[in-house]
Each structure stands twice: as structure tokens, then as C-alpha cells.
Amino acid sequence: MAVKVRIPTPLQSLTGGKDEVEGKTGSIIALVDFLEENYPGIGERLSEDGKIRRFVNIYLNEEDIRFLKAEETEVKDGDEVSIVPAIAGG
Amino acid sequence: MLSERELERYKRQMMMQGWGEDTQRKLKRSTVFVAGAGGLGSPVSIYLAVAGINHIRICDFDSPEMSNLNRQILHDHTRVGTNKAISAKQTLEQLNPDIEVTAFTDEITADSVDELVGDAEIILDCMDNFPTRYILNDCAIRKGIPMVYGSIHGMDGRMSFINVPETPCLMCVFEASPPKEVFPVVGATPGVIGSLQCLEAIKYLAGVGTPHRGKLLVWEGMNVSFRSFNTHVNPECPSCKGVR
């Protein structure tokens, strides 16, 4: 078991085109740091000064982390983390 | 009453389980507000029109451009430079002369929104920016009517049925606007999301099925993935806090 991270289309240019990458257990903000180590540039797209950007939603399985423990939400083995940025087009 | 022509026109949808003439008559008494006559507003208003929604209030202050025509199927090259809402009215009345379409060429602002939405029973959010979506969200809360949110980018889309106080509002789901950009898109993308938005509105007006409430649909066309996430009321939400 591992942590799965679903990467949205606009950020896949930073993950070599992969729509799913492996993450790690621990807090959400630690996971963002881990992603930045492996996929430079992704960190600043997702966060600023240790906080997730307000127009980016992150879901732990089906739940929005803002209604869990936000950046400190714990990710466990087997969890799926989805990055869902707001998109404006119409 | 449905005319002979209407009975024939809507025959195939009246065949659906739980539909029939009674449901069709409900649609014939319905009024909707379509905010935006662009990529999403095209499939949304076209399918509302041909389903027999009595009155479509459609609003857009912009003009069709050549670079819109890969997706904004309400318009064609002869309408470039006209107004999108007026062009939409022409197309929709051509498709279904038995309905009423009112075109509004105004910009949707906090001051104009309540009058533009008027007596509509539901708002279809087909905008291309969040600031206007939040204005529509606030209007839907004030009027106590639902709003079907949709947005797109490339081959991705989002959709949710919002009906405060039963569901979180749009501001609870997305608390801030993404940076402004000229977004990439292929026409079938608003086709997918706009059709889903339209179906949510038709279901609501017809009183059939279960709306996609309390959930955010996230569609990724590149890998044909449809996923739903739970949405929650933000107790500190600046838009809906006062009505809960």
C-alpha cells in the first residue's frame, strides 16, 4: 500500500505527463514538500508560505482537507489525495 | 395545455419513466436564467430550449468572435460582432418557436443581478470567471433558488447543484478565484459539462431524479474520469453564513 496523488491536467507538465504519482504518509503540507522534491515547481503552484493556495482544493479520499485539519491533515497508507484547482472557463 | 405539435415534439422524453404529460406541463410553466451565452451557455440553453422550458432568460454583454466558434455553437460566423444574448435568442427561437426567450445584453453585476434573474426558478452558471459566479451565488441565496455551477478548462470540467440552505454554496466549495487566464478548450468539453448542468436543471424543474447536491463532480476528459467529492458548509462563509 502507498499513498496515491492525483495530479490535475494543468500540473502534469511538472510530473512528466503523469496523472498519478506516489506520495508519502504524514501531513498534507509535508506531502507538498515531498512532491516539490520530486517534481520541482509543483510546490509553489500548490502552496505559499506553508499554506495551500486558496483556489486549490485538496481532497483526502472524498473529503476536502479544509474541513479536516487543513494542511495538518494526516495522510495514511492507502489514502488517495486529489489536487483539484478551481478552473474558471465557461 | 400542450398543443398537438408539442405533444409530438416532446413525445420521446414523455416516454421516460416518471415523465409523461404532467411533467412536460411543469416544464412548460418553467422559467430559467442562463448566465452567459458562450461555451457552456450554448449546450445549456439549446437543450433547455428543445426540452420545452417555457421561458429562457439569457444574458451576455459580449459579442461572438471567430475564436469563440470552436465551442459556442449558439453562434456562427455571420453573428460575429453582434451581441451573444441576441444571437442566442435567434438560434433558440429557430430551434423551438413554442418557447419564449428574453435576451439581456447587460453585464451581470451585484447591482443588476436580481433584476436580470427576475422570476427564474433556477440559475444556470455558464460564466467564465469566478467574481461573476460569486455574484450569481449571492443572488441565488437571496432569492432562495438553486444554481447549477459549471466550469471548464481544456478537457476538464466541474459541476455541482447548489441549493442553499440544503447544500453548501459556491463560496463554501471554492473560496477564491483562480488567476485570470485565456483558457484552452475544445468544444466538446463545454458540451459534456453544459449537458450535465442542463440535465440537472431539467430534473429539478421536472421533479425527477436526484440532483448532484452536496458533491462536486470533477471530470477529466484525457482519461475519461468522473469523480465526485463531498462538499461542506463553511460556518464562516461570507456568502451563506447569514441564512443558516
Side-chain angles (χ1 to χ4, degrees):
Chain A
M1 297 265 272
V3 173
K4 251 198 284 184
V5 183
R6 299 287 298 256
I7 306 293
T9 316
L11 299 184
Q12 288 171 16
S13 57
L14 300 168
T15 59
K18 283 190 269 187
D19 60 6
E20 192 179 295
V21 301
E22 201 165 308
K24 66 162 215 171
T25 56
S27 71
I28 285 286
I29 205 68
L31 174 62
V32 171
D33 292 341
F34 174 81
L35 291 174
E36 172 63 21
E37 282 165 28
N38 290 280
Y39 307 102
I42 204 167
E44 67 163 9
R45 301 285 292 274
L46 302 179
S47 63
E48 189 178 30
D49 301 331
K51 293 276 180 198
I52 299 298
R53 289 185 183 275
R54 293 179 67 221
F55 60 86
V56 176
N57 287 6
I58 296 189
Y59 295 91
L60 177 65
N61 302 314
E62 282 81 40
E63 298 301 332
D64 187 333
I65 61 156
R66 287 180 300 146
F67 299 94
L68 299 171
K69 290 181 180 165
E71 287 81 3
E72 299 310 318
T73 301
E74 281 293 309
V75 182
K76 295 191 285 297
D77 215 19
D79 281 341
E80 183 172 284
V81 175
S82 300
I83 301 166
V84 179
I87 53 176
Chain B
M1 274 298 287
L2 296 165
S3 67
E4 281 303 312
R5 183 164 80 173
E6 287 170 320
L7 287 170
E8 187 62 23
R9 180 186 281 273
Y10 307 124
K11 191 166 150 187
R12 297 288 286 271
Q13 63 199 47
M14 288 193 295
M15 283 168 65
M16 288 193 298
Q17 199 168 6
W19 204 282
E21 277 188 50
D22 284 349
T23 300
Q24 194 59 47
R25 277 195 292 268
K26 282 188 198 166
L27 300 188
K28 201 180 171 179
R29 292 191 294 267
S30 299
T31 299
V32 301
F33 182 71
V34 180
L40 289 172
S42 290
V44 162
S45 61
I46 286 171
Y47 282 122
L48 288 170
V50 298
I53 302 300
N54 178 58
H55 185 189
I56 297 174
R57 299 167 68 92
I58 189 160
C59 182
D60 205 309
F61 72 99
D62 214 350
S63 303
E65 297 172 15
M66 280 306 283
S67 65
N68 298 155
L69 301 184
N70 76 324
R71 62 195 184 280
Q72 301 188 11
I73 54 177
L74 279 168
H75 323 296
D76 65 26
H77 66 280
T78 65
R79 310 255 181 92
V80 169
T82 62
N83 170 270
K84 284 187 186 179
I86 290 171
S87 168
K89 178 178 162 72
Q90 287 169 354
T91 301
L92 298 174
E93 286 178 346
Q94 186 74 32
L95 284 167
N96 191 348
D98 293 327
I99 62 163
E100 184 186 348
V101 181
T102 307
F104 297 96
T105 60
D106 310 63
E107 184 172 5
I108 298 170
T109 66
D111 290 334
S112 68
V113 67
D114 285 2
E115 202 176 325
L116 292 169
V117 173
D119 60 348
E121 294 147 77
I122 188 168
I123 296 173
L124 280 301
D125 157 30
C126 305
M127 296 312 302
D128 60 358
N129 68 86
F130 268 83
T132 315
R133 286 193 171 94
Y134 292 138
I135 289 171
L136 292 165
N137 180 58
D138 289 350
C139 173
I141 294 169
R142 272 195 303 278
K143 287 184 182 261
I145 59 173
M147 175 173 101
V148 189
Y149 151 74
S151 68
I152 51 163
H153 179 112
M155 278 194 214
D156 293 344
R158 321 264 189 260
M159 193 278 292
S160 189
F161 181 90
I162 291 165
N163 196 10
V164 176
E166 183 192 13
T167 73
C169 78
L170 182 65
M171 183 67 91
C172 296
V173 182
F174 290 110
E175 63 178 20
S177 303
K180 278 189 177 170
E181 61 166 350
V182 176
F183 65 96
V185 64
V186 61
T189 295
V192 171
I193 296 298
S195 298
L196 289 168
Q197 286 180 275
C198 181
L199 208 48
E200 288 296 287
I202 290 172
K203 279 161 54 184
Y204 172 75
L205 296 167
V208 301
T210 308
H212 203 67
R213 62 183 168 218
K215 289 175 188 174
L216 173 70
L217 176 78
V218 174
W219 171 68
E220 292 170 351
M222 280 291 189
N223 52 19
V224 202
S225 148
F226 282 89
R227 289 177 298 153
S228 282
F229 299 99
N230 297 325
T231 61
H232 296 277
V233 172
N234 174 4
E236 296 306 316
C237 176
S239 288
C240 68
K241 186 178 163 184
V243 296
R244 296 187 189 278

